[in-house]
Amino acid sequence: MTSSTFSSLFKIFTFTLSLWVLFGTTSGQLSPSFYSLTCPMVTPIVTAAVTSAILQESRMGASLLRLHFLDCFVNGCDASVLLDDTEDFTGEKSASQISNSARGFDVIDTIKTQLEFQCPGVVSCADILSAAAQASVVALGGPSWSVSFGRRDSTTASLNAAKSDIPLPTSSLSDLISSFATKGFTANEMVALSGAHTIGQARCTNFRDHLYNENNIDPSFATSLKANCPSAGGDNNLSPLDASSTFFDNRYYNDLLNQKGLLHSDQELFNGGSTDAQVRTYGSNPSIFFSDFASAMVKMGNVGAITGHNGEIRVNCRRAN
């Protein structure tokens, strides 16, 4: 082999190796280091934007966490929840479970704009949703976890899937267990993920029946809520999901122990069923809850993720390229 031939082969090998380093993970599993070379500022940019949004409105942290959940529960973590309706499809935003509760789209737009300026065409909207959820929990005092990246974005969304896949505030315990099981979660993981309701608020229309027509609720607690949620009217009036709804803690489970769950589906976790013991554990040991929640969120971020050469990296999170 001549020296010139060897030199040419070495250059080809070096170039191939560099491509593997840059893009090799796109066909494999999600990885925390996916953007280490192509967009190393992704996490600081997301964290700064989320922190700023929460400082302006503390409720935004809960909204961004819920947005990630809504996305992953409908056809996987593919940013389909962000797509606006088109002539070709009616998207998930139009589903009643989403249209009246999903918020934070403008925050995701802001993050996407910043990332497109920093590293155009690199970071997916699905990855932004996952990172924003983690940053929100941390900003509100909750646990941290390692966010893996490498998701790609869908090019379409499904109204019917959104209607059928998202658990309702009227769900029974068996409904909740079944709904989460279809996404690969155990009953224990469902209870841990339900702890996301330690932050945020809910609309009167979603808990009115629990106040007026059910008896597994503390009477004084119900009375205190009725002023803001009358038996008729006031559908959009908001009440906190737990007594410390701007902090990520384990108060949600202690409220359930005292029959002060805001939603019917919340109180179902502690209502004489199979999950009562776990609620007691989380109520008395926040560190166990934090650990289980973080682990479940890592698993949540893997649900139905598009990787490799499937899907796309949207330039605008609201529409396909």
Side-chain angles (χ1 to χ4, degrees), residues 113-133:
T113 298
Q114 293 174 359
L115 287 172
E116 283 298 306
F117 177 80
Q118 186 76 22
C119 34
V122 172
V123 181
S124 69
C125 301
D127 278 347
I128 292 173
L129 283 173
S130 184

Side-chain angles (χ1 to χ4, degrees), residues 13 25 62 71 80 105 140 164 172 196 200 208 234 262 297 302:
F13 171 78
T25 53
D71 181 46
S80 56
F105 297 105
L140 295 175
S164 64
S172 66
R208 179 182 284 117
L262 184 65
M297 284 300 297
N302 290 327

Side-chain angles (χ1 to χ4, degrees), residues 71-84:
D71 181 46
C72 295
F73 246 65
V74 183
N75 294 329
C77 307
D78 60 1
S80 56
V81 73
L82 303 177
L83 289 171
D84 291 335

Side-chain angles (χ1 to χ4, degrees), residues 193-214:
L193 289 170
S194 295
H197 282 185
T198 190
I199 54 176
Q201 302 179 60
R203 297 165 62 234
C204 168
T205 187
N206 289 325
F207 59 85
R208 179 182 284 117
D209 284 347
H210 185 46
L211 293 186
Y212 291 92
N213 301 321
E214 299 178 5

Side-chain angles (χ1 to χ4, degrees), residues 38-281:
T38 56
C39 195
M41 291 298 292
V42 58
T43 297
I45 287 173
V46 172
T47 299
V50 168
T51 302
S52 175
I54 291 174
L55 286 174
Q56 295 178 49
E57 182 195 359
S58 59
R59 183 187 172 202
M60 187 53 67
S63 297
L64 292 171
L65 178 58
R66 177 166 173 76
L67 204 54
H68 178 50
F69 165 78
L70 292 173
D71 181 46
C72 295
F73 246 65
V74 183
N75 294 329
C77 307
D78 60 1
S80 56
V81 73
L82 303 177
L83 289 171
D84 291 335
D85 295 348
T86 70
E87 294 181 354
D88 298 320
F89 65 84
T90 302
E92 296 159 26
K93 287 180 178 179
S94 296
S96 60
Q97 298 94 317
I98 294 178
S99 63
N100 294 318
S101 67
R103 304 169 69 250
F105 297 105
D106 54 337
V107 178
I108 301 301
D109 290 340
T110 297
I111 295 171
K112 181 61 174 175
T113 298
Q114 293 174 359
L115 287 172
E116 283 298 306
F117 177 80
Q118 186 76 22
C119 34
V122 172
V123 181
S124 69
C125 301
D127 278 347
I128 292 173
L129 283 173
S130 184
Q134 187 260 16
S136 295
V137 171
V138 172
L140 295 175
S144 183
W145 60 91
S146 178
V147 178
S148 291
F149 297 111
R151 300 167 193 80
R152 289 170 66 85
D153 301 323
S154 66
T155 57
T156 187
S158 172
L159 173 64
N160 290 333
K163 288 181 175 179
S164 64
D165 290 5
I166 298 172
L168 299 172
T170 55
S171 296
S172 66
L173 179 59
S174 61
D175 290 337
L176 292 170
I177 292 173
S178 176
S179 179
F180 277 76
T182 62
K183 306 301 176 182
F185 294 100
T186 66
N188 285 350
E189 289 168 334
M190 179 274 292
V191 176
L193 289 170
S194 295
H197 282 185
T198 190
I199 54 176
Q201 302 179 60
R203 297 165 62 234
C204 168
T205 187
N206 289 325
F207 59 85
R208 179 182 284 117
D209 284 347
H210 185 46
L211 293 186
Y212 291 92
N213 301 321
E214 299 178 5
N215 56 20
N216 61 337
I217 184 170
D218 178 78
S220 61
F221 176 63
T223 299
S224 70
L225 292 169
K226 288 178 180 177
N228 191 46
C229 185
S231 58
D235 284 1
N236 293 321
N237 293 349
L238 297 171
S239 289
L241 283 162
D242 83 357
S244 58
S245 64
T246 59
F247 298 97
F248 196 100
D249 53 26
N250 68 329
R251 182 62 182 265
Y252 169 77
Y253 298 102
N254 285 295
D255 284 353
L256 298 185
L257 293 173
N258 293 303
Q259 292 193 311
K260 293 182 179 180
L262 184 65
L263 305 177
H264 170 88
S265 56
D266 288 331
Q267 197 58 58
E268 280 290 283
L269 301 184
F270 188 79
N271 195 33
S274 59
T275 56
D276 282 11
Q278 190 176 353
V279 171
R280 289 194 185 95
T281 297

